[in-house]
Amino acid sequence: MARPRAAGYDDQREQILARAAELFAHRGYTAATMAEIAEACGVSKATLYHYVRDKHDLLAQITGGHVARLEALIDEVGARGLAPEPHLRALVDAFLAAYASAANEHRVLTEDVKFLAPDEHAAVTAAERRVVRAFADALATLRPELRAAALETPVAMLLFGMINWTFTWLKPGGTLSHAALAPLVSDLFLGGLVSARLPQPPQPPSPRAGPPA
Amino acid sequence: MARPRAAGYDDQREQILARAAELFAHRGYTAATMAEIAEACGVSKATLYHYVRDKHDLLAQITGGHVARLEALIDEVGARGLAPEPHLRALVDAFLAAYASAANEHRVLTEDVKFLAPDEHAAVTAAERRVVRAFADALATLRPELRAAALETPVAMLLFGMINWTFTWLKPGGTLSHAALAPLVSDLFLGGLVSARLPQPPQPPSPRAGPPA
DNA sequence: CCTACCGATCGGTAGG
DNA sequence: CCTACCGATCGGTAGG
């Protein structure tokens, strides 16, 4: 039987992933170097390669871990058994909080997915689609005509736009917190959702797969 | 007096900027090589360097040109002298159309600004701030309490989120066009804007400069 | 003397 | 876990 990893191995690994995410987020995946990452972690380059196979593996771990946490969030909120409106509000709340606590990972997910290998890229996209579907379902429950107009996914993507774009302007430590923003986002979107005029369904029965988050 | 540039010089230059924007958007600024860009333009690398000083100049031209066009759009829409609601709808329309016709430049502006030199970065950010301010003013005209609550810029950023995020999911040639989406975005946002509950002003009189687009 | 290019190769640095 | 390196490829420029 193989000897177990040293205690603290996983902690060290998590630390490395977090530091790497920070560097990828600020300098970009390609521009960030393995030497920089090692230095930021306070280890040698050789030690860094003890925790990750290569630079590409680092990116896959960061993006994969982040989307997995987002999917878990969907399940957690779903398990609360809330009514439609509180349910959507809870989703908005949970995602704004998640992005606030994982801003670097979120930026890497958004900007550096293109550097993943095709199969890893497909896996991340599939997870993103499941997240979008959960939001789209919540929206269609609140406004059933959305589904008839085949607009529940586009409208979900508009909501994701509000939430996801915050990483470009909402800085932690500012006067406006993610927690304070959440009810405003929900109010804005729910208010518009019930009053918006919807176009006629484009083609009678042709639901299409939604784009990624 | 200096001899004028050859006819077609500016055309060729514009072509090169467009091709470079496409490669930067798809492969990232750092990963895209000058050799690739030259090849995509059907010229030698030496010829490419005849039109741009270096790779960095290429990025500065692409981002600078794009924000300049966005600022021009603000002026064009403003010159129409529309009432508050049609004015905001026209802005949404114009920006969605601009992003549809310059998706590559928009992606580069969003993801690769970090590679600009400090002074170029500051100039782009200043232009983005002016654009955000135009949207924030339009929103505050429609809902004056926004300004009292010092929320006109955050709310403008939420609207920008809806609009800007489309570049991640709305593909040209799909069943849903940018033009069809524009009224839906305006309906959603205007509907939510009039009904949203606003928190009390945080500090009586302290307007802050807005973050970039 | 200018511009608009080409084939070839430079010094430096990346991931591993 | 470090120093010392490798194969390759980068952005940028020489002469003509």
Side-chain angles (χ1 to χ4, degrees):
Chain A
M1 190 166 165
R3 182 173 155 183
R5 304 274 196 200
Y9 179 93
D10 289 334
D11 284 355
Q12 175 77 300
R13 186 188 172 82
E14 285 305 314
Q15 284 253 351
I16 286 172
L17 293 180
R19 295 282 190 177
E22 189 179 345
L23 278 162
F24 288 166
H26 286 98
R27 310 223 324 115
Y29 171 74
T30 311
T33 72
M34 291 299 268
E36 278 175 344
I37 293 166
E39 194 187 346
C41 296
V43 301
S44 72
K45 221 163 52 158
T47 303
L48 175 57
Y49 276 93
H50 179 65
Y51 289 93
V52 291
R53 187 166 17 90
D54 53 23
K55 194 185 186 187
H56 193 268
D57 182 40
L58 212 40
L59 179 63
Q61 298 286 338
I62 291 167
T63 54
H66 188 59
V67 288
R69 283 188 291 273
L70 296 183
E71 284 202 84
L73 230 46
I74 295 284
D75 293 338
E76 280 175 40
V77 172
R80 296 185 208 164
L82 298 169
E85 183 175 326
H87 182 233
L88 186 70
R89 287 182 179 273
L91 285 175
V92 169
D93 231 67
F95 272 67
L96 277 172
Y99 293 160
S101 66
N104 293 324
E105 286 77 3
H106 184 54
R107 181 158 221 141
V108 172
L109 179 64
T110 300
E111 298 184 355
D112 296 328
V113 265
K114 54 175 167 278
F115 300 113
L116 289 174
D119 56 332
E120 294 163 339
H121 190 282
V124 166
T125 300
E128 286 178 327
R129 258 186 245 268
R130 288 189 290 271
V131 170
V132 171
R133 180 158 299 272
F135 273 77
D137 287 346
L139 290 167
T141 303
L142 281 160
R143 184 89 198 261
E145 309 98 294
L146 279 180
R147 190 149 275 156
L151 283 175
E152 78 273 25
T153 302
V155 170
M157 293 311 298
L158 292 176
L159 175 55
F160 265 103
M162 279 197 185
I163 296 172
N164 286 348
W165 196 249
T166 56
F167 84 89
T168 67
W169 61 276
L170 190 61
K171 301 304 175 188
T175 42
L176 186 62
S177 68
H178 282 80
L181 189 66
L184 182 58
V185 169
S186 290
D187 275 10
L188 272 173
F189 209 83
L190 286 166
L193 189 67
V194 295
S195 66
R197 293 163 297 175
L198 299 179
Q200 296 305 314
Q203 281 137 0
S206 85
R208 295 188 311 119
Chain B
M1 188 168 166
R3 182 172 156 183
R5 302 272 198 202
Y9 179 93
D10 289 334
D11 283 355
Q12 176 78 300
R13 186 188 172 83
E14 285 305 314
Q15 284 255 351
I16 286 171
L17 292 180
R19 295 282 190 177
E22 189 180 345
L23 277 162
F24 288 167
H26 286 98
R27 310 222 325 116
Y29 171 73
T30 310
T33 71
M34 292 300 269
E36 278 175 345
I37 293 166
E39 193 187 347
C41 296
V43 300
S44 73
K45 217 163 58 155
T47 303
L48 175 58
Y49 275 94
H50 178 66
Y51 289 93
V52 291
R53 188 168 15 92
D54 52 23
K55 194 184 184 185
H56 193 267
D57 182 40
L58 212 39
L59 180 62
Q61 297 287 338
I62 290 166
T63 53
H66 187 59
V67 287
R69 282 188 292 272
L70 295 183
E71 284 203 85
L73 230 46
I74 295 286
D75 293 338
E76 280 175 39
V77 172
R80 295 185 208 164
L82 297 169
E85 183 176 324
H87 181 232
L88 186 70
R89 288 182 178 273
L91 285 175
V92 170
D93 231 66
F95 272 68
L96 277 172
Y99 293 161
S101 66
N104 293 324
E105 286 78 3
H106 184 54
R107 180 159 221 140
V108 172
L109 179 63
T110 300
E111 299 184 356
D112 296 328
V113 266
K114 55 175 165 281
F115 299 113
L116 289 174
D119 56 333
E120 294 163 340
H121 190 282
V124 166
T125 300
E128 287 178 326
R129 260 185 243 268
R130 288 189 291 270
V131 170
V132 170
R133 181 158 298 272
F135 273 76
D137 287 345
L139 290 167
T141 304
L142 281 160
R143 184 89 198 261
E145 308 98 295
L146 278 180
R147 189 149 276 156
L151 282 174
E152 78 272 27
T153 302
V155 170
M157 292 311 298
L158 292 176
L159 175 53
F160 265 103
M162 279 197 184
I163 296 172
N164 286 348
W165 196 250
T166 56
F167 84 88
T168 67
W169 62 276
L170 190 62
K171 300 304 174 187
T175 43
L176 186 63
S177 68
H178 282 79
L181 189 65
L184 181 58
V185 170
S186 291
D187 275 10
L188 271 173
F189 210 83
L190 287 165
L193 188 67
V194 296
S195 64
R197 294 163 296 174
L198 298 179
Q200 295 305 314
Q203 282 135 4
S206 85
R208 296 188 308 118

